[in-house]
Amino acid sequence: MSDSQINNYPIWHPFTQMKQEQTPLEIVSGEGCYLTTKDGRRILDAVSSWWVNLHGHSHPFIAQSIAEQAAELEHVIFAGFTHKPAIDLANNLLKILPDNFTKIFFSDDGSTSVEVALKMALQYWFNLGIKHKTKIIAFRDGYHGDTFGAMSVAGKNSFNTAFQEKMFDVHFITTPENGQIEQSLLEFEQLAKNDDIAAFIFEPLVQGASGMRMHKPEDLDKLLQIAKQNDIICIADEVMTGFGRTGNLFAIDYLVNKPDLICLSKGITGGFLPLGVTAASQRIYDAFYDDDKLKTFFHGHSYTANPIACAAANASYELLVSPKCRRQIQMITESHKEFLLTLKDNKYIKNARSVGTIVAFELEDMGETSYFHSIRDKIYTHCLEQNVLLRPLGNVIYTMPPYCITKVELERVYEVMVSCTDLLKN
């Protein structure tokens, strides 16, 4: 945008340096995998609009569920009251989560679902009268959101430089990727010996915003085993990986050792409305269930368990557990594996990997992988010019498409992804 356009434009966009931003594309409608701009372009949304859209834009079943709920009950205070959409959603989630989860706490987005989990973990020990367990372990270079607790467990990075003096101290360990599990185990074991660790928070199998960095479930299981042995609460941040993104319904389904808390958001409503939940094990809940009112979990927000959002989530759940959706997830997973085979001899591509419906690779000879890599904007523009929305993480190119995508549309996405190597040849 020009300076005059910026001054007349009323919106401040997220993760955007407005002075350098081009005029944003105005989207007037969406259907399936496609977004339609004001001037009639159809853009294939290959990143599910920041990873939230599961079943396609404007899915009629979810839209109808929202309309019916809005005509019946739009909202009600959730302290002292409840409603059927929230009850149904809690029961639906508990049907597909591991058996150790028994309670659902509602919030409003991914960051706050993480805040809730961190507060629950810390207050758990406080309620038990164990005051020395106050420290948290997290993976280095993770991302858990942009509120203060979420920023703290993500570590120091360029996103939170201005706030680092206000963030609480966290112990960071090496992520067990690329054969680094022994280093991860060594660091974790050393920290666990101190007996002051309250919780361990992690993104299971995939660290999303840091560049789709992937690790093996068996390696993560080894860390969780140490946590269990030392009575450390485990928090799985599945804001991104939940609801089928890794192939299974949840990434923790690949694990033998299950966490005590799980954070969910993004795909929970199929991409229609903001909603977050934190699922807790009975063990966690029991530490708050007491005659002492001071042991209450004092957290909430005005739109907690909004009925319309819950209705959208229940509709998305029905689509998610259908045989058709399971077949689509499997098709995408297998297509990604086939795509990886075609990249083996491409000298411009390195570290190609996939898990479930996520596939990623890095452009070769681009120096260190970084969110702020200079080629990022060139890749983004290059793909949009071909009417495919791919929002690279620096020099990391990935796709995480809606489950309604066809094989032909996937092939088109792959073609555009590989065409980004042309930027290295020119």
Side-chain angles (χ1 to χ4, degrees), residues 55 249 316-331 403:
H55 310 292
L249 287 175
S316 180
Y317 165 84
E318 289 190 44
L319 295 172
L320 178 69
V321 299
S322 69
K324 180 180 179 181
C325 187
R326 299 306 302 161
R327 289 194 297 271
Q328 279 295 109
I329 290 173
Q330 186 62 32
M331 182 275 289
Y403 299 150

Side-chain angles (χ1 to χ4, degrees), residues 31-37 39-45 384 386-388 409:
E31 182 180 9
C33 293
Y34 293 93
L35 299 166
T36 301
T37 66
D39 60 0
R41 290 173 59 189
R42 292 181 78 236
I43 298 173
L44 201 165
D45 184 356
L384 268 186
Q386 300 179 73
N387 290 325
V388 174
E409 289 165 338

Side-chain angles (χ1 to χ4, degrees), residues 384-415:
L384 268 186
E385 287 173 348
Q386 300 179 73
N387 290 325
V388 174
L389 173 55
L390 289 166
R391 188 177 171 86
L393 299 162
N395 60 316
V396 177
I397 303 171
Y398 73 93
T399 183
M400 189 191 305
Y403 299 150
C404 63
I405 198 168
T406 66
K407 183 76 170 179
V408 172
E409 289 165 338
L410 267 178
E411 292 297 332
R412 175 57 180 158
V413 173
Y414 299 151
E415 178 185 349

Side-chain angles (χ1 to χ4, degrees), residues 269-337:
T269 65
F272 274 71
L273 289 165
L275 181 66
V277 305
T278 305
S281 66
Q282 190 66 33
R283 169 200 181 190
I284 300 297
Y285 178 78
D286 285 345
F288 295 80
Y289 190 76
D290 201 278
D291 291 328
D292 184 354
K293 281 198 172 184
L294 294 180
K295 291 187 177 181
T296 300
F297 185 57
F298 293 107
H299 187 101
H301 67 103
S302 302
Y303 283 92
T304 295
N306 174 260
I308 300 174
C310 289
N314 284 319
S316 180
Y317 165 84
E318 289 190 44
L319 295 172
L320 178 69
V321 299
S322 69
K324 180 180 179 181
C325 187
R326 299 306 302 161
R327 289 194 297 271
Q328 279 295 109
I329 290 173
Q330 186 62 32
M331 182 275 289
I332 297 168
T333 298
E334 294 303 319
S335 294
H336 284 351
K337 292 178 181 177

Side-chain angles (χ1 to χ4, degrees), residues 85-100:
I87 295 169
D88 288 347
L89 179 55
N91 285 326
N92 284 336
L93 291 172
L94 292 175
K95 287 177 191 174
I96 58 176
L97 283 166
D99 292 342
N100 65 307

Side-chain angles (χ1 to χ4, degrees), residues 88-144:
D88 288 347
L89 179 55
N91 285 326
N92 284 336
L93 291 172
L94 292 175
K95 287 177 191 174
I96 58 176
L97 283 166
D99 292 342
N100 65 307
F101 292 105
T102 62
K103 301 295 179 182
I104 300 295
F105 190 94
F106 290 93
S107 60
D108 51 346
D109 60 19
S111 293
T112 49
S113 72
V114 169
E115 295 287 331
V116 165
L118 293 172
K119 290 175 68 176
M120 283 181 175
L122 292 170
Q123 190 177 340
Y124 170 87
W125 297 112
F126 184 88
N127 283 2
L128 293 182
I130 301 173
K131 304 296 178 66
H132 65 278
K133 279 184 171 283
T134 59
K135 298 296 184 181
I136 295 171
I137 296 176
F139 284 141
R140 198 168 289 116
D141 301 320
Y143 176 82
H144 299 282

